[in-house]
């Protein structure tokens, strides 16, 4: 095809700014998980879409904040590496929060990123117009942006304009993926992420941050059904008990919700088996980081 364009667009921002919600809205399908809790996304997740002659490859990144644990440091390093490798970097600000310390920290480090940046104020469905204008003005004084967009990733307001601008802004070049591909993540990884999203929905306080999910078995059965076995790793026996719940109630609800959603995406019947294992200190185990698609920070 003549005159095609293709580019990588990283979406970065503070935890909970709505990066994953926006990526799903841009792609028009759920390729990355979302929750009301912070630090949901752990690795770089690509979502792909075509707009006219352009293929847009969006890169969802973990939220950027001041990390303490080893896993947090790996997530933040990964987020910045996503920005460094992209053709364009979209900086998302939660307009409900405005320019707080976290956002200031991100804007302050943008100068180190060579790819051009653009600004996105998200959650405009819940913020007054004057406030939006003030945030846009202040953010543009702190960093250089090629353009500013105001969107609601939740309602889709402003998303088509953003997509149209990106389509003409990405560099000329051949498409890197087949036109109908929406994600480059294997189904077994997406399925693990979906189960992790249900953990975020149903477990309180710190527990989701101490757990991770891996798909061990993905087997197509003769009738076309799929058998999936996943392990939820936690750090302590007490956490395992909470994930199971009284009489196995919690794990059953998590499995039920995950199975429904995986079946929708796989477009076939899914038999999902969840196991909960204690793996003390998995947060210090390089193998688990590899499984999540993260670099293991040495210190
Ligand atoms: N009202 C409103 N809520 C939104 C909007 N976009 C996202 N949210 C909500 O904000 C919360 C966080 O959304 P995510 O997409 O998970 O945010 P994130 O930036 O990917 O978060 P991390 O992966 O933890 O860094 C969820 O509860 C979303 O439903 C929006 O445009 N309007
Ligand atoms: Mg996210």
């Amino acid at each position: 095809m003549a005159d095609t364009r293709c580019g990588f667009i990283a979406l970065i921002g503070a935890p909970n700014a709505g990066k994953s919600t926006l990526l799903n809205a841009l792609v028009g399908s759920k390729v990355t998980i979302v929750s009301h809790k912070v630090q949901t996304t752990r690795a770089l997740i690509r979502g792909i879409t075509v707009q006219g002659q352009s293929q847009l490859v969006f890169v969802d990144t973990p939220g950027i904040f001041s990390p303490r644990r080893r896993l947090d440091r790996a997530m933040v390093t990964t987020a910045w590496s996503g920005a460094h490798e992209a053709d364009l970097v979209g900086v998302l600000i939660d307009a409900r929060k405005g320019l707080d310390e976290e956002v200031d920290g991100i804007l302050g480090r943008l100068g180190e990123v060579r790819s051009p940046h653009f600004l996105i104020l998200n959650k405009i469905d819940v913020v007054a117009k004057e406030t939006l204008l003030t945030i846009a003005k202040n953010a543009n004084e702190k960093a250089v942006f090629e353009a500013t967009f105001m969107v609601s990733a939740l309602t889709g307001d402003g998303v088509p304009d953003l997509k149209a601008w990106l389509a003409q802004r990405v560099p000329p070049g051949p498409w890197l993926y087949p036109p109908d591909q929406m994600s480059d993540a294997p189904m077994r990884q997406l399925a693990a992420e979906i189960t992790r999203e249900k953990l975020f929905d149903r477990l309180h306080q710190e527990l989701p941050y101490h757990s991770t999910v891996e798909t061990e078995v993905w087997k197509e059965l003769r009738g076309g059904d799929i058998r999936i076995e996943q392990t939820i790793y936690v750090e302590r026996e007490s956490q395992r008990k909470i994930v199971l719940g009284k009489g196995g109630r919690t794990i059953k609800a998590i499995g039920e919700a995950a199975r429904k959603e995986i079946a929708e995406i796989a477009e076939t019947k899914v038999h999902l088996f969840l196991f909960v294992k204690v793996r003390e200190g998995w947060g210090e185990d390089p193998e688990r980081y590899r499984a999540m698609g993260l670099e293991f920070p040495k210190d």
Side-chain angles (χ1 to χ4, degrees):
M1 217 194 312
D3 304 324
T4 57
R5 290 175 175 269
C6 183
F8 284 80
I9 304 138
L11 301 176
I12 68 167
N16 222 35
K19 301 174 292 297
S20 301
T21 309
L22 181 61
L23 185 136
N24 290 335
L26 286 160
V27 172
S29 172
K30 177 155 170 176
V31 294
T32 180
I33 62 170
V34 166
S35 90
H36 61 279
K37 293 194 173 72
V38 296
Q39 297 163 39
T40 308
T41 305
R42 283 187 182 158
L44 302 179
I45 312 254
R46 287 180 192 163
I48 309 153
T49 189
V50 167
Q51 167 92 2
Q53 301 275 83
S54 304
Q55 185 165 57
L56 308 175
V57 186
F58 294 102
V59 185
D60 190 13
T61 66
I64 295 171
F65 57 104
S66 304
R68 270 174 306 174
R69 298 184 305 162
R70 199 194 292 264
L71 176 59
D72 299 340
R73 284 202 298 281
M75 284 160 52
V76 171
T77 306
T78 297
W80 281 113
S81 76
H84 285 288
E85 286 158 18
D87 297 300
L88 286 169
V89 177
V91 180
L92 245 83
I93 296 181
D94 182 339
R96 208 157 33 177
K97 290 197 185 150
L99 298 188
D100 56 10
E101 215 175 294
E102 252 169 359
V103 175
D104 272 345
I106 295 169
L107 297 181
R109 276 189 64 182
L110 266 187
E112 298 165 24
V113 178
R114 265 193 298 160
S115 6
H117 329 127
F118 61 99
L119 179 68
I120 308 165
L121 302 192
N122 187 32
K123 311 197 185 182
I124 63 167
D125 52 305
V126 286
V127 178
K129 217 177 200 148
E130 307 83 75
T131 315
L132 294 173
L133 295 175
T134 311
I135 300 172
K137 183 169 165 285
N138 292 342
N140 275 283
E141 278 165 9
K142 291 193 174 167
V144 182
F145 294 108
E146 282 196 359
T148 298
F149 296 89
M150 301 194 184
V151 307
S152 167
L154 204 61
T155 67
D157 201 11
V159 174
D161 284 350
L162 170 58
K163 231 169 132 170
W165 182 80
L166 289 169
Q168 52 83 32
R169 184 61 189 81
V170 289
W175 291 3
L176 297 174
Y177 299 93
D180 54 355
Q181 190 168 335
M182 289 187 296
S183 164
D184 70 342
M187 273 305 288
R188 48 192 301 150
Q189 188 187 331
L190 181 57
E193 284 289 280
I194 288 173
T195 302
R196 205 162 62 78
E197 182 184 76
K198 306 312 167 201
L199 292 176
F200 267 76
D201 288 346
R202 276 159 218 273
L203 300 176
H204 303 295
Q205 290 160 351
E206 288 295 300
L207 197 43
Y209 305 107
H210 294 285
S211 50
T212 188
V213 181
E214 291 178 22
T215 302
E216 320 294 349
V217 175
W218 178 287
K219 201 169 147 214
E220 293 196 14
L221 306 176
R222 240 171 300 164
D225 295 8
I226 300 172
R227 179 189 172 95
I228 304 170
E229 294 176 22
Q230 294 179 330
T231 304
I232 300 169
Y233 289 107
V234 293
E235 292 186 311
R236 282 190 292 278
E237 180 56 31
S238 57
Q239 296 170 340
R240 197 179 80 90
K241 287 210 179 92
I242 298 172
V243 176
L244 293 174
K246 226 184 230 148
R249 238 180 282 161
T250 308
I251 188 80
K252 195 165 166 230
I254 289 167
E256 186 61 15
R259 183 189 60 73
K260 270 202 194 119
E261 209 172 300
I262 298 167
E264 242 170 66
I265 293 171
E267 294 178 332
T268 184
K269 192 164 176 199
V270 163
H271 307 267
L272 175 63
F273 299 87
L274 295 181
F275 304 92
V276 189
K277 286 191 191 153
V278 179
R279 182 163 276 168
E280 246 174 80
W282 69 257
E284 303 293 321
D285 176 2
E287 190 51 43
R288 302 276 76 73
Y289 283 64
R290 258 193 298 281
M292 283 185 261
L294 289 173
E295 287 277 327
F296 184 70
K298 301 226 163 46
D299 50 323

